[in-house]
Amino acid sequence: MEENLKQLTKAGASEIIRIAIFGPESTGKTTLAKQLAEYYKTVWVPEFARDYLQEKLDSGRGICDIDDMLPIAYGQTKLENESAAIANGYLFCDTNLMVTKVFSELYYNFCDSLLDKAARAHQYDLFFLTDIDVPWEDDGLRDSPEGRESIFSVFKQSLVDNKKPFITLTGDKETRLNKAIAILEELRKAKKMGIDSLDFVQIYEHGIPIAKVQEQLTIYKNGIVKTILDRPATIDDGILHLTTEMFVEKAAFFDANKASLKLKKLVPASGAATRMFNFLNEFLKDFHYNSESINAYINRKHDLELSLFIVGMDKFPFYKAIDQQLRADFSDFDFWSADQKNYYFITYLLHSDYFDFASKPKGVLPFHQYSDHVATPFEEHLNESVVYASVQQKSFLHFTITQEHQVLFEKLEQELKSNIEAQSKTTIEIGYSYQDKSTDSVIVDANNHLVKNQFNELLFRPGGHGALIENLNALDADIVFIKNIDNVIQNHLEAIALYKKGLAGILVTLQQRVFKYVAAIQQQQVSESEVAEIMTFIQNELSIELNKGFSKFTFENKLNDLLYVLDRPIRVCGMVKNEGEPGGGPFWVIDGKGRTTLQIVESSQVDLKNEKQQLILESATHFNPVDLVCGIKNYKNQKFDLSQFVDHNSGFIVERKLGNDIIKSYELPGLWNGAMAKWITVFVEVPMVTFNPVKNVNDLLKPTHQPHQTL
């Protein structure tokens, strides 16, 4: 038996990459093995069973039966080992022991233990599972095209059950070949990096190029160079200050010039509202219901947030709904103690069997109580959009969301959109997109090794809101308004609209001049005196520092440099006065060439151990409320490729604990940070009324989220 098992053991050079073409039928499979072998100038292993069974038929010994399974397995392994000895880098196997094992089980409901053990142990660097999306071909070996789907499922499940690394190939023969070659190129890179086949398949199915994984691993190893702050941007030093009258003028200019523009509002709305309710979840975990009062818990934990929540409970927009549910579920509710009522209120608010708010996206939660209904941020953004982001009674709104939450947003859309359209006499078109999984990062441990879960699966983490630059890049619009999902206000839409349209007016004004200058340079219609005019515009109105040696450039090189500076997307960013909110702010930053540029910088980008940098960070006079208006097309009305204007060196390494271990993940340069670092950037001071985020559920108790507030 041991000798028989040896015959089913594969041999050959260890550096050979073995690829098994796997599937229930030869349709397209044999051709693929031969094509790949020809492409890589190596050998391929044909299906031994074909000649074996043909010889059996020719000799009159009948058709295939259970006793043929082991001889076929022996012959196939011998053929593979002989081919491996002369293979050039790759060996492509048209079939393998796992196929024989599956057929044995499928047709005879039995598999010899030798074959079973060998098939499980036989390893390949990758299995290509050929789909059945091509017409069936009679190869004289398989009996019929009937039941293709069920047989294919059995084959696929065998790979899953035996933990074999496989990728499914679909499409016509040419498509399969091209896809297989692309995958093999990625596999070769992964092998050089020491990434095993099962990990490679997970990375591939996540859509992450191996080169990106290599970049991430290098970043983990070397760290990220911190941003160097020169000084905070302030009024008249990087931040424009406009009076209300000037905002009115700019808003009017925008209204007068928007007819030919396609506008869109982009609302980042991904993820659940977990952080809003952190202190309440902590309360439910740590409160001793049977042995302490809530007041005792508050004192024990110094939890002022919980105290504020309970005091203001009846002012929350969701209070009535939860209170009614409790009364419906408990007939003696009125006789409960205050602690019991409050405990059950919080339980119903968060428990998955009831309101489950912490696992839902912020966009669908109750935020504002009106006289006749409760409004969600989703509804408030629709109301805003028709006021300032519409042209000719049409408004385009786009939400970036988590895919599993889309049904919640679409339900609200169905309930709300038609009423808002009727009231505003504006048609609203709503789109959704997700953060692309290919922008996720692999997670590593303290030694920069890939981290896996208990099922031996790699762990990935979303790349952060910087990944949304690709979502923005996909939008078809001249001007895009960007505002976070939780930054909404109750009533006072006219004030919000004024400042949003004012920012858009500034953008259009600057854009018109930029387009004029770029067109003139492209058409070689610029004189020496006009170069001086353009220089003044760039330095004074765009706050861009030109090359130190610019004055010594030839005339042609001056034009090239001016074109390089001007021919890029533009963003106008509202900035509010710093009142201690956590988050990024506007700064003058020293880039890699020693020039200062205007950037929105997060504290995590700064070396906080450097006292000078810490002092600059703390001296910021303004804060980034994520209130942007973006011009994403050039003077020819062509979309910029926004991926070309990202500072890839300004991402973040995030450390956190997993059990007792430190793990690290990489976040891409933030959408309004490094992802727009190479845009033309203009900062404009806007009033605090434009900034009303809800980071904590208690923020809903602030005047701007309560009925009848005044500005």
Side-chain angles (χ1 to χ4, degrees), residues 273-543:
T274 309
R275 292 180 185 177
M276 272 182 68
F277 304 98
N278 274 348
F279 72 94
L280 294 178
N281 272 315
E282 184 65 27
F283 165 72
L284 292 179
K285 289 178 184 177
D286 200 30
F287 176 57
H288 304 148
Y289 180 76
N290 294 318
S291 60
E292 72 177 336
S293 67
I294 291 180
N295 193 53
Y297 171 88
I298 290 172
N299 291 332
R300 174 165 63 88
K301 302 286 288 190
H302 305 291
D303 195 342
L304 297 180
E305 288 182 329
L306 179 60
S307 179
L308 177 59
F309 179 86
I310 291 174
V311 169
M313 188 179 287
D314 63 344
K315 294 182 175 62
F316 285 109
F318 46 77
Y319 172 78
K320 186 176 180 181
I322 297 176
D323 183 70
Q324 287 178 343
Q325 188 64 55
L326 285 167
R327 293 178 184 277
D329 290 350
F330 302 99
S331 59
D332 61 342
F333 180 78
D334 283 330
F335 300 100
W336 287 6
S337 67
D339 271 11
Q340 189 175 8
K341 289 178 179 178
N342 292 335
Y343 177 80
Y344 271 82
F345 184 94
I346 296 170
T347 300
Y348 268 48
L349 174 72
L350 299 179
H351 198 283
S352 59
D353 289 340
Y354 301 104
F355 288 79
D356 197 22
F357 277 4
S359 67
K360 292 179 179 177
K362 284 185 183 180
V364 305
L365 298 183
F367 263 38
H368 297 149
Q369 178 71 60
Y370 289 95
S371 60
D372 57 348
H373 75 293
V374 174
T376 61
F378 180 85
E379 178 180 345
E380 299 291 25
H381 277 287
L382 265 63
N383 287 325
E384 282 191 19
S385 183
V386 298
V387 173
Y388 62 74
S390 62
V391 177
Q392 298 174 353
Q393 274 63 60
K394 290 183 180 179
S395 183
F396 297 88
L397 191 58
H398 189 92
F399 293 87
T400 60
I401 61 174
T402 305
Q403 188 170 2
E404 57 263 31
H405 292 154
Q406 183 163 344
V407 64
L408 299 175
F409 284 94
E410 289 179 338
K411 182 175 184 293
L412 282 178
E413 178 183 343
Q414 188 175 12
E415 294 171 358
L416 299 168
K417 189 165 81 80
S418 59
N419 287 337
I420 295 174
E421 288 177 327
Q423 292 170 11
S424 64
K425 298 180 181 178
T426 301
T427 301
I428 305 172
E429 183 176 307
I430 301 174
Y432 304 95
S433 62
Y434 322 120
Q435 185 172 314
D436 194 333
K437 287 201 307 181
S438 67
T439 62
D440 290 0
S441 69
V442 292
I443 293 177
V444 298
D445 60 21
N447 296 314
N448 300 318
H449 298 140
L450 296 175
V451 174
K452 301 182 183 182
N453 62 18
Q454 66 269 33
F455 304 110
N456 201 37
E457 297 168 334
L458 290 177
L459 295 182
F460 299 90
R461 186 169 176 83
H465 59 71
L468 300 182
I469 195 68
E470 296 299 334
N471 303 66
L472 177 59
N473 208 18
L475 297 183
D476 180 21
D478 298 298
I479 292 178
V480 180
F481 296 87
I482 301 179
K483 194 178 182 188
N484 275 339
I485 186 66
D486 64 344
N487 184 12
V488 289
I489 191 172
Q490 183 156 4
N491 302 308
H492 301 294
L493 280 180
E494 67 283 354
I496 302 299
L498 168 63
Y499 295 107
K500 292 296 280 187
K501 291 200 285 188
L503 295 177
I506 295 169
L507 172 67
V508 173
T509 301
L510 294 173
Q511 202 175 49
Q512 288 179 353
R513 290 190 67 181
V514 168
F515 287 176
K516 171 188 170 185
Y517 292 143
V518 171
I521 294 170
Q522 292 278 30
Q523 296 162 14
Q524 299 182 339
Q525 296 178 351
V526 180
S527 64
E528 285 280 5
S529 61
E530 288 170 323
V531 166
E533 176 189 328
I534 298 172
M535 285 176 56
T536 301
F537 170 72
I538 288 173
Q539 293 170 326
N540 295 349
E541 298 192 45
L542 301 183
S543 299

Side-chain angles (χ1 to χ4, degrees), residues 144-307:
S144 79
E146 302 302 323
R148 295 178 81 194
E149 292 83 3
S150 59
I151 296 175
F152 176 80
S153 296
V154 170
F155 270 75
K156 182 175 181 178
Q157 194 60 45
S158 72
L159 294 175
V160 174
D161 292 343
N162 290 282
K163 296 181 172 56
K164 302 295 185 183
F166 75 94
I167 294 173
T168 304
L169 294 181
T170 59
D172 59 27
K173 292 179 181 180
E174 183 179 356
T175 300
R176 293 183 183 200
L177 175 63
N178 292 334
K179 185 177 179 181
I181 291 170
I183 292 169
L184 291 174
E185 293 304 306
E186 288 284 279
L187 176 63
R188 181 177 54 81
K189 296 175 189 174
K191 290 291 182 183
K192 286 185 177 180
M193 292 168 58
I195 295 174
D196 69 35
S197 295
L198 286 171
D199 292 348
F200 167 74
V201 170
Q202 290 178 67
I203 292 169
Y204 175 81
E205 291 179 343
H206 222 77
I208 307 175
I210 291 297
K212 286 290 183 185
V213 175
Q214 191 163 31
E215 286 176 17
Q216 291 169 11
L217 294 176
T218 300
I219 288 170
Y220 290 135
K221 179 181 177 181
N222 299 333
I224 295 175
V225 177
K226 294 293 186 179
T227 297
I228 301 175
L229 304 180
D230 182 68
R231 62 192 189 277
T234 58
I235 298 297
D236 296 329
D237 185 24
I239 301 178
L240 296 176
H241 173 76
L242 276 66
T243 64
T244 302
E245 291 73 19
M246 295 168 77
F247 267 109
V248 170
E249 180 183 326
K250 291 297 183 183
F253 179 81
F254 171 67
D255 282 334
N257 287 270
K258 70 180 183 180
S260 62
L261 300 175
K262 186 167 186 178
L263 310 180
K264 189 158 286 192
K265 182 179 178 182
L266 174 65
V267 183
S270 303
T274 309
R275 292 180 185 177
M276 272 182 68
F277 304 98
N278 274 348
F279 72 94
L280 294 178
N281 272 315
E282 184 65 27
F283 165 72
L284 292 179
K285 289 178 184 177
D286 200 30
F287 176 57
H288 304 148
Y289 180 76
N290 294 318
S291 60
E292 72 177 336
S293 67
I294 291 180
N295 193 53
Y297 171 88
I298 290 172
N299 291 332
R300 174 165 63 88
K301 302 286 288 190
H302 305 291
D303 195 342
L304 297 180
E305 288 182 329
L306 179 60
S307 179

Side-chain angles (χ1 to χ4, degrees), residues 514-639:
V514 168
F515 287 176
K516 171 188 170 185
Y517 292 143
V518 171
I521 294 170
Q522 292 278 30
Q523 296 162 14
Q524 299 182 339
Q525 296 178 351
V526 180
S527 64
E528 285 280 5
S529 61
E530 288 170 323
V531 166
E533 176 189 328
I534 298 172
M535 285 176 56
T536 301
F537 170 72
I538 288 173
Q539 293 170 326
N540 295 349
E541 298 192 45
L542 301 183
S543 299
I544 296 175
E545 183 180 311
L546 292 170
N547 280 306
K548 288 184 171 64
F550 183 85
S551 61
K552 298 179 182 179
F553 287 1
T554 64
F555 182 69
E556 182 180 355
N557 285 341
K558 284 181 179 178
L559 293 183
N560 289 337
D561 199 51
L562 293 175
L563 185 62
Y564 174 78
V565 168
L566 292 173
D567 194 20
R568 56 188 63 222
I570 306 174
R571 59 173 174 164
V572 176
C573 313
M575 292 290 156
V576 296
K577 289 182 179 178
N578 189 355
E579 294 189 354
E581 292 280 354
F587 292 89
W588 289 96
V589 169
I590 302 174
D591 68 14
K593 296 180 180 179
R595 292 182 298 185
T596 55
T597 64
L598 285 173
Q599 302 293 340
I600 298 172
V601 181
E602 308 288 332
S603 60
S604 56
Q605 295 176 261
V606 181
D607 181 5
L608 300 179
K609 295 178 182 178
N610 183 310
E611 186 176 345
K612 183 179 178 181
Q613 291 291 291
Q614 176 76 40
L615 288 173
I616 295 173
L617 184 70
E618 291 174 352
S619 63
T621 60
H622 288 74
F623 173 82
N624 168 39
V626 187
D627 193 2
L628 292 80
V629 186
C630 304
I632 59 174
K633 289 186 178 179
N634 65 17
Y635 80 105
K636 292 182 178 180
N637 201 37
Q638 299 167 332
K639 286 176 59 180

Side-chain angles (χ1 to χ4, degrees), residues 18-37 44-47 76 80 91-100 124 126-131 142 155 159 165-167 169 176-177 180 184:
R18 294 186 187 234
I19 306 299
I21 316 298
F22 192 77
E25 53 191 52
S26 61
T27 303
K29 189 158 67 72
T30 301
T31 302
L32 178 63
K34 290 175 65 176
Q35 287 177 315
L36 286 170
W44 69 287
V45 185
E47 193 169 10
Q76 190 66 46
E80 182 176 331
L91 179 65
F92 298 100
C93 304
D94 181 34
T95 192
N96 53 83
L97 297 189
M98 187 61 71
V99 171
T100 309
Y124 294 87
L126 190 63
F127 287 78
F128 281 134
L129 175 61
T130 53
D131 206 347
R142 276 75 178 179
F155 270 75
L159 294 175
F166 75 94
I167 294 173
L169 294 181
R176 293 183 183 200
L177 175 63
L184 291 174

